[in-house]
Amino acid sequence: MKIKIDGLECEANYGEYILEVAKRNGIHIPTLCHTDALPGQGSCRLCIVEVIEGGKNKVVVSCLYPVTNEIEVLTNSDKIRRMRKNIIRLLAARAPESEHIRKLKEEYGVPEEKRFNVDKGEK
């Protein structure tokens, strides 16, 4: 079946997760907890996307959301970027020494944390 991801028409199999379809089509969706060894956990929430289905928008975790009909997916809308920025902010407070999270902070323009206690030295 056809789905649209960021305006690109993609072929998806029934039940296939949005993240898999995006990866296959060269569309980047950031992840932290999703790997080939541990697929489909959805615990970090970093892979959130906006799904437009039946005229309604909803935010879903792309590594756990199966394609069951034709949908439109937005991976980088203002709403998704704001939500990811907050997730990264919380992760950065928890693990400020993580190189991966540091790169995400730069990509999303997350400032140094002043509101939360930071776990110094935690990766």
Side-chain angles (χ1 to χ4, degrees):
M1 74 183 66
K2 301 268 187 219
I3 69 169
K4 204 176 269 191
I5 303 177
D6 294 338
L8 178 69
E9 203 165 280
C10 303
E11 191 67 37
N13 297 315
Y14 183 89
E16 187 174 24
Y17 297 126
I18 292 172
L19 182 61
E20 294 168 347
V21 178
K23 280 184 176 183
R24 188 173 60 246
N25 286 277
I27 299 166
H28 174 69
I29 298 174
T31 63
L32 193 59
C33 69
H34 186 89
T35 68
D36 290 338
L38 300 167
Q41 287 196 51
S43 59
C44 75
R45 297 296 195 235
L46 205 51
C47 70
I48 57 172
V49 296
E50 196 169 352
V51 171
I52 303 167
E53 186 173 17
K56 296 181 181 178
N57 292 33
K58 58 185 167 184
V59 174
V60 302
V61 180
S62 66
C63 70
L64 293 175
Y65 192 83
V67 175
T68 57
N69 54 40
E70 292 184 0
I71 56 173
E72 183 175 352
V73 179
L74 304 174
T75 68
N76 212 21
S77 66
D78 288 340
K79 179 179 186 175
I80 293 300
R81 287 193 65 81
R82 278 192 315 272
M83 292 174 80
R84 276 196 196 127
K85 191 172 180 176
N86 283 330
I87 293 167
I88 294 165
R89 186 172 162 227
L90 293 170
L91 290 168
R94 175 62 195 231
E97 300 300 317
S98 167
E99 183 66 21
H100 186 69
I101 293 173
R102 186 189 61 73
K103 288 178 183 176
L104 286 168
K105 278 179 61 177
E106 288 174 10
E107 180 182 345
Y108 283 84
V110 177
E112 289 304 312
E113 188 53 56
K114 294 179 182 11
R115 183 174 175 194
F116 302 114
N117 292 331
V118 175
D119 289 341
K120 300 282 186 205
E122 185 65 44
K123 291 184 181 180

